[in-house]
PDB file of all heavy atoms in Angstrom:
ATOM      1  N   GLU A   1    -109.333 166.565  63.441  1.00  0.00           N
ATOM      2  CA  GLU A   1    -108.131 165.704  63.507  1.00  0.00           C
ATOM      3  C   GLU A   1    -106.932 166.604  63.712  1.00  0.00           C
ATOM      4  O   GLU A   1    -105.917 166.163  64.397  1.00  0.00           O
ATOM      5  CB  GLU A   1    -108.003 164.942  62.212  1.00  0.00           C
ATOM      6  CG  GLU A   1    -109.258 164.113  61.873  1.00  0.00           C
ATOM      7  CD  GLU A   1    -109.697 163.153  62.901  1.00  0.00           C
ATOM      8  OE1 GLU A   1    -108.882 162.915  63.921  1.00  0.00           O
ATOM      9  OE2 GLU A   1    -110.789 162.587  62.884  1.00  0.00           O
ATOM     10  N   ASN A   2    -106.901 167.873  63.063  1.00  0.00           N
ATOM     11  CA  ASN A   2    -105.736 168.745  63.268  1.00  0.00           C
ATOM     12  C   ASN A   2    -105.642 169.221  64.734  1.00  0.00           C
ATOM     13  O   ASN A   2    -104.487 169.169  65.284  1.00  0.00           O
ATOM     14  CB  ASN A   2    -105.892 169.936  62.387  1.00  0.00           C
ATOM     15  CG  ASN A   2    -105.774 169.669  60.972  1.00  0.00           C
ATOM     16  OD1 ASN A   2    -105.175 168.646  60.520  1.00  0.00           O
ATOM     17  ND2 ASN A   2    -106.273 170.555  60.052  1.00  0.00           N
ATOM     18  N   LYS A   3    -106.753 169.442  65.410  1.00  0.00           N
ATOM     19  CA  LYS A   3    -106.695 169.813  66.813  1.00  0.00           C
ATOM     20  C   LYS A   3    -106.110 168.643  67.632  1.00  0.00           C
ATOM     21  O   LYS A   3    -105.243 168.838  68.547  1.00  0.00           O
ATOM     22  CB  LYS A   3    -108.069 170.152  67.324  1.00  0.00           C
ATOM     23  CG  LYS A   3    -108.586 171.516  66.993  1.00  0.00           C
ATOM     24  CD  LYS A   3    -109.873 171.756  67.715  1.00  0.00           C
ATOM     25  CE  LYS A   3    -110.437 173.080  67.441  1.00  0.00           C
ATOM     26  NZ  LYS A   3    -111.719 173.345  68.136  1.00  0.00           N
ATOM     27  N   ILE A   4    -106.504 167.475  67.287  1.00  0.00           N
ATOM     28  CA  ILE A   4    -106.054 166.302  68.081  1.00  0.00           C
ATOM     29  C   ILE A   4    -104.453 166.118  67.966  1.00  0.00           C
ATOM     30  O   ILE A   4    -103.700 165.911  68.842  1.00  0.00           O
ATOM     31  CB  ILE A   4    -106.700 164.936  67.508  1.00  0.00           C
ATOM     32  CG1 ILE A   4    -108.162 164.938  67.917  1.00  0.00           C
ATOM     33  CG2 ILE A   4    -105.964 163.730  68.010  1.00  0.00           C
ATOM     34  CD1 ILE A   4    -108.372 164.742  69.421  1.00  0.00           C
ATOM     35  N   GLN A   5    -104.049 166.264  66.597  1.00  0.00           N
ATOM     36  CA  GLN A   5    -102.570 166.207  66.408  1.00  0.00           C
ATOM     37  C   GLN A   5    -101.797 167.394  66.940  1.00  0.00           C
ATOM     38  O   GLN A   5    -100.645 167.087  67.396  1.00  0.00           O
ATOM     39  CB  GLN A   5    -102.395 165.981  64.886  1.00  0.00           C
ATOM     40  CG  GLN A   5    -102.885 164.558  64.373  1.00  0.00           C
ATOM     41  CD  GLN A   5    -102.773 164.493  62.827  1.00  0.00           C
ATOM     42  OE1 GLN A   5    -103.489 165.068  62.145  1.00  0.00           O
ATOM     43  NE2 GLN A   5    -101.862 163.740  62.441  1.00  0.00           N
ATOM     44  N   GLN A   6    -102.414 168.515  67.024  1.00  0.00           N
ATOM     45  CA  GLN A   6    -101.662 169.684  67.610  1.00  0.00           C
ATOM     46  C   GLN A   6    -101.417 169.391  69.089  1.00  0.00           C
ATOM     47  O   GLN A   6    -100.455 169.932  69.687  1.00  0.00           O
ATOM     48  CB  GLN A   6    -102.532 170.958  67.299  1.00  0.00           C
ATOM     49  CG  GLN A   6    -102.555 171.517  65.982  1.00  0.00           C
ATOM     50  CD  GLN A   6    -103.549 172.583  65.651  1.00  0.00           C
ATOM     51  OE1 GLN A   6    -104.220 173.062  66.690  1.00  0.00           O
ATOM     52  NE2 GLN A   6    -103.710 172.942  64.385  1.00  0.00           N
ATOM     53  N   LEU A   7    -102.234 168.651  69.650  1.00  0.00           N
ATOM     54  CA  LEU A   7    -102.061 168.318  71.159  1.00  0.00           C
ATOM     55  C   LEU A   7    -101.015 167.186  71.244  1.00  0.00           C
ATOM     56  O   LEU A   7    -100.749 166.759  72.487  1.00  0.00           O
ATOM     57  CB  LEU A   7    -103.366 167.944  71.797  1.00  0.00           C
ATOM     58  CG  LEU A   7    -104.411 168.965  71.931  1.00  0.00           C
ATOM     59  CD1 LEU A   7    -105.781 168.420  72.349  1.00  0.00           C
ATOM     60  CD2 LEU A   7    -103.955 169.957  73.090  1.00  0.00           C
ATOM     61  N   GLY A   8    -100.475 166.690  70.217  1.00  0.00           N
ATOM     62  CA  GLY A   8     -99.492 165.640  70.268  1.00  0.00           C
ATOM     63  C   GLY A   8    -100.182 164.230  70.441  1.00  0.00           C
ATOM     64  O   GLY A   8     -99.432 163.257  70.908  1.00  0.00           O
ATOM     65  N   LEU A   9    -101.548 164.144  70.120  1.00  0.00           N
ATOM     66  CA  LEU A   9    -102.114 162.818  70.107  1.00  0.00           C
ATOM     67  C   LEU A   9    -102.238 162.288  68.716  1.00  0.00           C
ATOM     68  O   LEU A   9    -102.237 163.052  67.762  1.00  0.00           O
ATOM     69  CB  LEU A   9    -103.568 163.074  70.769  1.00  0.00           C
ATOM     70  CG  LEU A   9    -103.640 163.575  72.187  1.00  0.00           C
ATOM     71  CD1 LEU A   9    -105.086 164.028  72.496  1.00  0.00           C
ATOM     72  CD2 LEU A   9    -103.211 162.570  73.110  1.00  0.00           C
ATOM     73  N   PRO A  10    -102.271 160.961  68.666  1.00  0.00           N
ATOM     74  CA  PRO A  10    -102.345 160.285  67.294  1.00  0.00           C
ATOM     75  C   PRO A  10    -103.610 160.619  66.637  1.00  0.00           C
ATOM     76  O   PRO A  10    -104.618 160.872  67.239  1.00  0.00           O
ATOM     77  CB  PRO A  10    -102.114 158.790  67.588  1.00  0.00           C
ATOM     78  CG  PRO A  10    -102.473 158.606  68.993  1.00  0.00           C
ATOM     79  CD  PRO A  10    -102.154 159.924  69.734  1.00  0.00           C
ATOM     80  N   LYS A  11    -103.629 160.565  65.372  1.00  0.00           N
ATOM     81  CA  LYS A  11    -104.854 160.921  64.502  1.00  0.00           C
ATOM     82  C   LYS A  11    -106.031 159.975  64.805  1.00  0.00           C
ATOM     83  O   LYS A  11    -107.134 160.377  64.770  1.00  0.00           O
ATOM     84  CB  LYS A  11    -104.488 160.765  62.986  1.00  0.00           C
ATOM     85  CG  LYS A  11    -105.558 161.233  62.071  1.00  0.00           C
ATOM     86  CD  LYS A  11    -105.189 161.115  60.582  1.00  0.00           C
ATOM     87  CE  LYS A  11    -106.258 161.477  59.661  1.00  0.00           C
ATOM     88  NZ  LYS A  11    -105.845 161.371  58.261  1.00  0.00           N
ATOM     89  N   SER A  12    -105.738 158.734  65.172  1.00  0.00           N
ATOM     90  CA  SER A  12    -106.749 157.716  65.467  1.00  0.00           C
ATOM     91  C   SER A  12    -107.312 157.804  66.822  1.00  0.00           C
ATOM     92  O   SER A  12    -108.140 156.967  67.233  1.00  0.00           O
ATOM     93  CB  SER A  12    -106.116 156.399  65.175  1.00  0.00           C
ATOM     94  OG  SER A  12    -105.028 156.101  66.035  1.00  0.00           O
ATOM     95  N   PHE A  13    -106.856 158.865  67.617  1.00  0.00           N
ATOM     96  CA  PHE A  13    -107.226 158.924  69.111  1.00  0.00           C
ATOM     97  C   PHE A  13    -108.680 159.054  69.275  1.00  0.00           C
ATOM     98  O   PHE A  13    -109.367 159.773  68.490  1.00  0.00           O
ATOM     99  CB  PHE A  13    -106.335 159.986  69.715  1.00  0.00           C
ATOM    100  CG  PHE A  13    -106.611 160.080  71.206  1.00  0.00           C
ATOM    101  CD1 PHE A  13    -105.958 159.273  72.071  1.00  0.00           C
ATOM    102  CD2 PHE A  13    -107.407 161.122  71.651  1.00  0.00           C
ATOM    103  CE1 PHE A  13    -106.079 159.412  73.445  1.00  0.00           C
ATOM    104  CE2 PHE A  13    -107.652 161.267  73.022  1.00  0.00           C
ATOM    105  CZ  PHE A  13    -107.011 160.297  73.903  1.00  0.00           C
ATOM    106  N   CYS A  14    -109.204 158.529  70.401  1.00  0.00           N
ATOM    107  CA  CYS A  14    -110.515 158.784  70.847  1.00  0.00           C
ATOM    108  C   CYS A  14    -110.603 159.134  72.375  1.00  0.00           C
ATOM    109  O   CYS A  14    -110.006 158.317  73.061  1.00  0.00           O
ATOM    110  CB  CYS A  14    -111.452 157.645  70.444  1.00  0.00           C
ATOM    111  SG  CYS A  14    -113.146 157.751  71.074  1.00  0.00           S
ATOM    112  N   PHE A  15    -111.256 160.045  72.693  1.00  0.00           N
ATOM    113  CA  PHE A  15    -111.317 160.383  74.167  1.00  0.00           C
ATOM    114  C   PHE A  15    -112.307 159.604  74.961  1.00  0.00           C
ATOM    115  O   PHE A  15    -112.160 159.442  76.145  1.00  0.00           O
ATOM    116  CB  PHE A  15    -111.704 161.847  74.369  1.00  0.00           C
ATOM    117  CG  PHE A  15    -110.654 162.988  74.251  1.00  0.00           C
ATOM    118  CD1 PHE A  15    -110.574 163.684  73.176  1.00  0.00           C
ATOM    119  CD2 PHE A  15    -109.728 162.997  75.294  1.00  0.00           C
ATOM    120  CE1 PHE A  15    -109.495 164.773  73.075  1.00  0.00           C
ATOM    121  CE2 PHE A  15    -108.666 163.891  75.130  1.00  0.00           C
ATOM    122  CZ  PHE A  15    -108.604 164.734  74.093  1.00  0.00           C
ATOM    123  N   ALA A  16    -113.146 158.854  74.267  1.00  0.00           N
ATOM    124  CA  ALA A  16    -114.204 158.060  74.944  1.00  0.00           C
ATOM    125  C   ALA A  16    -113.692 157.107  75.989  1.00  0.00           C
ATOM    126  O   ALA A  16    -114.228 157.232  77.167  1.00  0.00           O
ATOM    127  CB  ALA A  16    -115.024 157.374  73.959  1.00  0.00           C
ATOM    128  N   PRO A  17    -112.744 156.281  75.824  1.00  0.00           N
ATOM    129  CA  PRO A  17    -112.271 155.304  76.861  1.00  0.00           C
ATOM    130  C   PRO A  17    -111.506 156.076  77.969  1.00  0.00           C
ATOM    131  O   PRO A  17    -111.097 155.355  78.953  1.00  0.00           O
ATOM    132  CB  PRO A  17    -111.380 154.365  76.184  1.00  0.00           C
ATOM    133  CG  PRO A  17    -110.940 154.963  74.955  1.00  0.00           C
ATOM    134  CD  PRO A  17    -112.066 155.952  74.536  1.00  0.00           C
ATOM    135  N   TYR A  18    -111.275 157.320  77.927  1.00  0.00           N
ATOM    136  CA  TYR A  18    -110.601 158.132  79.002  1.00  0.00           C
ATOM    137  C   TYR A  18    -111.669 158.909  79.772  1.00  0.00           C
ATOM    138  O   TYR A  18    -111.370 159.359  80.930  1.00  0.00           O
ATOM    139  CB  TYR A  18    -109.551 159.019  78.426  1.00  0.00           C
ATOM    140  CG  TYR A  18    -108.461 158.280  77.757  1.00  0.00           C
ATOM    141  CD1 TYR A  18    -108.554 157.959  76.362  1.00  0.00           C
ATOM    142  CD2 TYR A  18    -107.294 157.783  78.486  1.00  0.00           C
ATOM    143  CE1 TYR A  18    -107.483 157.249  75.723  1.00  0.00           C
ATOM    144  CE2 TYR A  18    -106.283 157.043  77.779  1.00  0.00           C
ATOM    145  CZ  TYR A  18    -106.378 156.862  76.461  1.00  0.00           C
ATOM    146  OH  TYR A  18    -105.497 156.114  75.776  1.00  0.00           O
ATOM    147  N   THR A  19    -112.711 159.269  79.119  1.00  0.00           N
ATOM    148  CA  THR A  19    -113.643 160.319  79.679  1.00  0.00           C
ATOM    149  C   THR A  19    -115.142 159.914  79.818  1.00  0.00           C
ATOM    150  O   THR A  19    -115.908 160.689  80.334  1.00  0.00           O
ATOM    151  CB  THR A  19    -113.579 161.628  78.911  1.00  0.00           C
ATOM    152  OG1 THR A  19    -114.123 161.451  77.558  1.00  0.00           O
ATOM    153  CG2 THR A  19    -112.114 162.157  78.779  1.00  0.00           C
ATOM    154  N   ASN A  20    -115.440 158.771  79.329  1.00  0.00           N
ATOM    155  CA  ASN A  20    -116.808 158.338  79.153  1.00  0.00           C
ATOM    156  C   ASN A  20    -116.976 156.961  79.723  1.00  0.00           C
ATOM    157  O   ASN A  20    -116.108 156.151  79.657  1.00  0.00           O
ATOM    158  CB  ASN A  20    -117.269 158.419  77.741  1.00  0.00           C
ATOM    159  CG  ASN A  20    -118.742 158.147  77.595  1.00  0.00           C
ATOM    160  OD1 ASN A  20    -119.597 158.945  77.807  1.00  0.00           O
ATOM    161  ND2 ASN A  20    -119.099 156.929  77.154  1.00  0.00           N
ATOM    162  N   LEU A  21    -118.151 156.639  80.217  1.00  0.00           N
ATOM    163  CA  LEU A  21    -118.579 155.274  80.631  1.00  0.00           C
ATOM    164  C   LEU A  21    -119.998 155.111  80.307  1.00  0.00           C
ATOM    165  O   LEU A  21    -120.842 155.876  80.527  1.00  0.00           O
ATOM    166  CB  LEU A  21    -118.315 155.273  82.198  1.00  0.00           C
ATOM    167  CG  LEU A  21    -118.210 153.832  82.752  1.00  0.00           C
ATOM    168  CD1 LEU A  21    -117.148 153.006  82.103  1.00  0.00           C
ATOM    169  CD2 LEU A  21    -118.112 153.930  84.345  1.00  0.00           C
ATOM    170  N   ASP A  22    -120.272 154.010  79.679  1.00  0.00           N
ATOM    171  CA  ASP A  22    -121.625 153.574  79.165  1.00  0.00           C
ATOM    172  C   ASP A  22    -121.980 152.313  79.983  1.00  0.00           C
ATOM    173  O   ASP A  22    -121.389 151.290  79.915  1.00  0.00           O
ATOM    174  CB  ASP A  22    -121.537 153.270  77.700  1.00  0.00           C
ATOM    175  CG  ASP A  22    -122.952 153.165  77.119  1.00  0.00           C
ATOM    176  OD1 ASP A  22    -123.490 152.023  77.128  1.00  0.00           O
ATOM    177  OD2 ASP A  22    -123.518 154.151  76.690  1.00  0.00           O
ATOM    178  N   LEU A  23    -123.060 152.564  80.767  1.00  0.00           N
ATOM    179  CA  LEU A  23    -123.516 151.391  81.691  1.00  0.00           C
ATOM    180  C   LEU A  23    -124.853 150.862  81.171  1.00  0.00           C
ATOM    181  O   LEU A  23    -125.863 151.518  81.112  1.00  0.00           O
ATOM    182  CB  LEU A  23    -123.840 151.926  83.066  1.00  0.00           C
ATOM    183  CG  LEU A  23    -122.532 152.720  83.653  1.00  0.00           C
ATOM    184  CD1 LEU A  23    -122.925 153.258  85.067  1.00  0.00           C
ATOM    185  CD2 LEU A  23    -121.343 151.830  83.685  1.00  0.00           C
ATOM    186  N   ASP A  24    -124.816 149.630  80.725  1.00  0.00           N
ATOM    187  CA  ASP A  24    -126.011 149.059  80.052  1.00  0.00           C
ATOM    188  C   ASP A  24    -126.928 148.377  81.062  1.00  0.00           C
ATOM    189  O   ASP A  24    -126.564 148.071  82.142  1.00  0.00           O
ATOM    190  CB  ASP A  24    -125.536 147.953  79.042  1.00  0.00           C
ATOM    191  CG  ASP A  24    -126.554 147.778  77.980  1.00  0.00           C
ATOM    192  OD1 ASP A  24    -127.319 148.660  77.637  1.00  0.00           O
ATOM    193  OD2 ASP A  24    -126.552 146.675  77.389  1.00  0.00           O
TER     194      ASP A  24
END
């Protein structure tokens, strides 16, 4: 969480909807 915040991103942030796609 510290790494996330050091990048200026909120603590609740998740990379999944920016970098991942799940095809069912």
Side-chain angles (χ1 to χ4, degrees):
E1 307 299 349
N2 288 338
K3 281 187 179 181
I4 291 290
Q5 292 176 285
Q6 286 169 10
L7 290 169
L9 299 168
K11 184 179 180 181
S12 57
F13 183 79
C14 178
F15 276 109
Y18 299 89
T19 65
N20 185 77
L21 198 56
D22 189 270
L23 308 179
D24 206 27

